[in-house]
Amino acid sequence: MATTTILSGATCTIAGGTLGAAVDVSDQLQSLVLTQAVDELEKTSLADSARYYVAGLQTNEVTLSLYNSFGAGEIEATLAAVIGKSDIVLVFTGTTSSTESASNPEYTLTNCFLASTTPINSQYGELSMVEVTFRGGTLARDIT
């Protein structure tokens, strides 16, 4: 049985919106979840004896859980620069290894959208966290 244990976290950069350059949020990243799906379109004809399907539009979603921080180039400022924008680019990997390979693919989600964020999410005695979900866009996987 194949298993993978991740002892170091994913990497992630955010670009687009009114950001001047890509911002690496890896040092504030608690978790990253990629959900990749396609619409199923039925193509069954009257001559078929079973149902058949083809892939339709992609439905991509990336959810980031981040430790909140304030200041230029930090999480709150980065998310404020991209909220409501549809030109966001996320680049991420599953491990901190800098080498792309079959065991460490790099994903790029281009032209995704951020609809909401919680810039202030504080509770006494706990670290401030923000969870954001980027939706839509085109997903590319690179192993070279």
Side-chain angles (χ1 to χ4, degrees):
M1 173 183 357
T3 61
T4 301
T5 302
I6 305 296
L7 298 177
S8 60
T11 63
C12 182
T13 60
I14 301 172
T18 58
L19 291 171
V23 176
D24 187 346
V25 297
S26 304
D27 64 336
Q28 302 289 60
L29 187 61
Q30 184 200 46
S31 70
L32 183 151
V33 177
L34 166 64
T35 304
Q36 180 182 11
V38 293
D39 294 338
E40 60 182 52
L41 304 177
E42 187 172 353
K43 69 167 207 145
T44 307
S45 74
L46 293 175
D48 291 328
S49 60
R51 295 189 183 276
Y52 295 97
Y53 297 90
V54 296
L57 296 173
Q58 293 182 12
T59 304
N60 299 305
E61 186 174 284
V62 174
T63 300
L64 305 177
S65 295
L66 300 155
Y67 294 105
N68 206 0
S69 56
F70 296 87
E74 294 295 329
I75 299 302
E76 184 275 335
T78 299
L79 296 177
V82 297
I83 188 166
K85 307 294 191 267
S86 59
D87 64 342
I88 303 167
V89 177
L90 299 179
V91 178
F92 49 94
T93 62
T95 69
T96 55
S97 172
S98 61
T99 306
E100 298 166 25
S101 66
S103 60
N104 186 41
E106 178 183 83
Y107 290 89
T108 302
L109 185 59
T110 306
N111 295 325
C112 56
F113 183 78
L114 178 63
S116 67
T117 183
T118 52
I120 298 176
N121 184 10
S122 298
Q123 186 169 339
Y124 183 75
E126 293 187 9
L127 293 173
S128 178
M129 298 290 299
V130 60
E131 185 172 285
V132 290
T133 301
F134 297 85
R135 291 189 172 91
T138 302
L139 186 67
R141 180 179 182 268
D142 184 16
I143 60 170
T144 59

